Amino acid sequence: MSAAAVKNYHLKFDSDPIHIKGIRLACEELAREVGFDDKAVDELGLCVNEAIANVVEHAYNFELGRPVEIWVEARGDGKVKEGELRIRLRDWGPGIDPSKLPVKPKDPLVPGGLGLICMREMMDSMEYAAPAEGGMLLTLVRRFPRRRG
Amino acid sequence: MSESQTIETNSTVVPTARRVGESIVAVVKGDVDLKTSPMLRTALLALIKDKIPERLILDLSSTSYMDSSAIAVLVEMLQKARKVQGKVCLIQLQPRVKGLLEIARLDSIFVIAKDEAEALKK
């Protein structure tokens, strides 16, 4: 993409919920800089939050000090009407693909699964892959203008 | 309007709470995510420990962001309230919080009110 800037960041952190807010805010700022509107920025932030929370809670069962890596790559220049933001999140947990778990009918009064629902509804694509070294790699992509349905 | 009585909370996430008649009004402050939702849970459980109120009114005017772990805490409070025919009322919802409640299909399950006065009538 010649006219549009490419912005990236890559962070290594440990599986402590204390990191979630800072990473969410950094992702929101990057999304805003490259031209996503307020609603999309909010949704991207929530999805990053939920993705990391899933790693902390489900991949690592709240065990602190386990490794997590995130790559965020955004394309856009704040003016163009097309672009995308791609988030990759790597953990070294047991390698369970949450998207392959049986889908239960969603009862609003039974907590659980809301993070996955947000990611499915708010992102243009969500893919889990199992690297040979173990764990999971989640890739989330959000484009603008958003491709719907 | 009923007199109100301050309740000590010792919580940064729920810094103030009052008993108003048979209701409890608690102010939730700050973003609530996986780091702070356990603190929210602890504070709310302490408020209803002795008696689950007719209405647990949560003032969310100072909470612009919540994630699914916060929603899980609210649902837990709702389930406890329902066992004694109580209600959980959410007031002064900020747009992001309102949006998440809608995605979770909880916007019609909690009592949503504009402010405390309206919540006390519901």
Side-chain angles (χ1 to χ4, degrees):
Chain A
M1 191 180 278
S2 57
V6 178
K7 295 173 183 252
N8 298 299
Y9 73 78
H10 172 213
L11 288 173
K12 295 181 180 182
F13 55 103
D14 69 282
S15 54
D16 188 327
I18 200 166
H19 301 302
I20 292 175
K21 183 174 179 179
I23 295 169
R24 167 173 68 83
L25 293 176
C27 185
E28 288 175 6
E29 177 150 355
L30 189 61
R32 198 173 288 113
E33 274 179 28
V34 296
F36 281 91
D37 64 22
D38 289 346
K39 184 168 185 289
V41 168
D42 288 352
E43 290 178 352
L44 280 161
L46 178 63
C47 289
V48 167
N49 177 137
E50 297 296 343
I52 300 171
N54 276 349
V55 167
V56 171
E57 192 173 350
H58 301 298
Y60 291 143
N61 197 23
F62 290 103
E63 186 185 344
L64 301 180
R66 301 293 303 276
V68 190
E69 279 187 63
I70 189 168
W71 294 261
V72 181
E73 182 184 58
R75 294 167 186 272
D77 62 3
K79 296 173 188 169
V80 294
K81 294 294 180 195
E82 59 183 46
E84 70 173 35
L85 187 139
R86 184 175 70 163
I87 299 151
R88 287 178 294 149
L89 187 69
R90 178 80 164 95
D91 70 69
W92 283 263
I96 296 166
D97 179 347
S99 67
K100 297 252 171 66
L101 295 174
V103 178
K104 293 178 281 189
K106 180 61 185 160
D107 178 348
L109 291 175
V110 178
L114 181 55
L116 276 178
I117 291 171
C118 290
M119 288 189 275
R120 283 197 186 103
E121 291 195 4
M122 295 174 173
M123 303 300 287
D124 288 291
S125 73
M126 177 185 80
E127 285 180 18
Y128 279 93
E133 304 79 24
M136 290 302 291
L137 176 66
L138 168 65
T139 303
L140 298 169
V141 175
R142 175 76 185 249
R143 302 182 187 91
F144 62 90
R146 190 171 177 202
R147 293 175 192 169
R148 291 192 180 274
Chain B
M1 186 177 283
S2 306
E3 281 187 22
S4 70
Q5 176 193 356
T6 302
I7 307 171
E8 289 292 328
T9 64
N10 293 318
S11 168
T12 52
V13 181
V14 183
T16 61
R18 294 177 293 122
R19 192 176 304 281
V20 182
E22 295 299 315
S23 301
I24 288 177
V25 183
V27 175
V28 181
K29 189 173 181 185
D31 294 355
V32 188
D33 61 15
L34 197 62
K35 173 177 171 269
T36 48
S37 59
M39 301 175 209
L40 176 65
R41 181 175 184 270
T42 300
L44 295 180
L45 287 176
L47 284 176
I48 64 171
K49 179 175 58 135
D50 295 330
K51 186 187 175 196
I52 296 174
E54 275 181 16
R55 291 181 204 82
L56 175 63
I57 301 173
L58 301 179
D59 179 343
L60 299 175
S61 58
S62 299
T63 297
S64 59
Y65 180 81
M66 278 186 172
D67 74 356
S68 63
S69 68
I71 297 293
V73 173
L74 299 186
V75 168
E76 183 182 354
M77 298 305 133
L78 180 64
Q79 287 168 333
K80 289 182 184 299
R82 282 188 161 188
K83 284 183 185 164
V84 295
Q85 281 72 54
K87 296 173 183 171
V88 175
C89 309
L90 308 178
I91 65 172
Q92 307 220 35
L93 285 179
Q94 302 302 299
R96 288 184 85 166
V97 175
K98 187 166 183 284
L100 186 57
L101 286 168
E102 287 168 358
I103 290 166
R105 295 191 288 129
L106 287 164
D107 51 319
S108 58
I109 292 175
F110 286 103
V111 176
I112 310 280
K114 184 179 61 172
D115 54 25
E116 181 181 324
E118 188 178 297
L120 287 167
K121 289 179 195 160
K122 290 199 174 190

